[in-house]
Amino acid sequence: MIQNKKELMNRALNAMTINIGKSGVNDNVIEEIKRQLKANEIVKLKFAKNIARDKDDYIDEIVTKTRAKLVDVRGHVAVIYKKKP
C-alpha cells in the first residue's frame, strides 16, 4: 500500500536526518542513505547553505542511485522514501 504524502511527512518528523555538507554527494553518502532507507523507509536530507544552489542536482542523483521517491522539498531539506521489499 502506497502511503500518501501527508502520512509520509508526519513520519518524517521523527526520521533520521543526513546532513549533506560542502563536499556534496559521494559514494559514502549514497551508501549511508541506502542503509537508512533500508532500516527506516524514510530519510530527511539537509543541505548546507553553501551548496543549496546545487541541491536539485544532488537530489536527482540521490533519488536515481537509491531508487527512492522524493516526497517533498522545503527550504534546504528534502524527504525521500523507499518502501521496504
Side-chain angles (χ1 to χ4, degrees), residues 42-59:
I42 196 159
V43 175
K44 287 190 289 190
L45 306 170
K46 185 172 183 181
F47 294 89
K49 290 181 180 155
N50 59 346
I51 63 162
R53 67 182 179 282
D54 300 324
K55 79 173 184 240
D56 292 334
D57 295 332
Y58 288 135
I59 291 169

Side-chain angles (χ1 to χ4, degrees), residues 12-64:
L13 294 173
N14 299 319
M16 171 74 176
T17 300
I18 297 177
N19 292 308
I20 312 293
K22 64 183 175 187
S23 60
V25 175
N26 57 34
D27 291 338
N28 293 333
V29 173
I30 295 293
E31 289 306 312
E32 180 60 24
I33 293 169
K34 286 180 180 179
R35 277 193 294 275
Q36 293 301 325
L37 284 170
K38 189 172 185 178
N40 305 314
E41 291 187 339
I42 196 159
V43 175
K44 287 190 289 190
L45 306 170
K46 185 172 183 181
F47 294 89
K49 290 181 180 155
N50 59 346
I51 63 162
R53 67 182 179 282
D54 300 324
K55 79 173 184 240
D56 292 334
D57 295 332
Y58 288 135
I59 291 169
D60 290 340
E61 179 182 354
I62 291 167
V63 168
T64 302

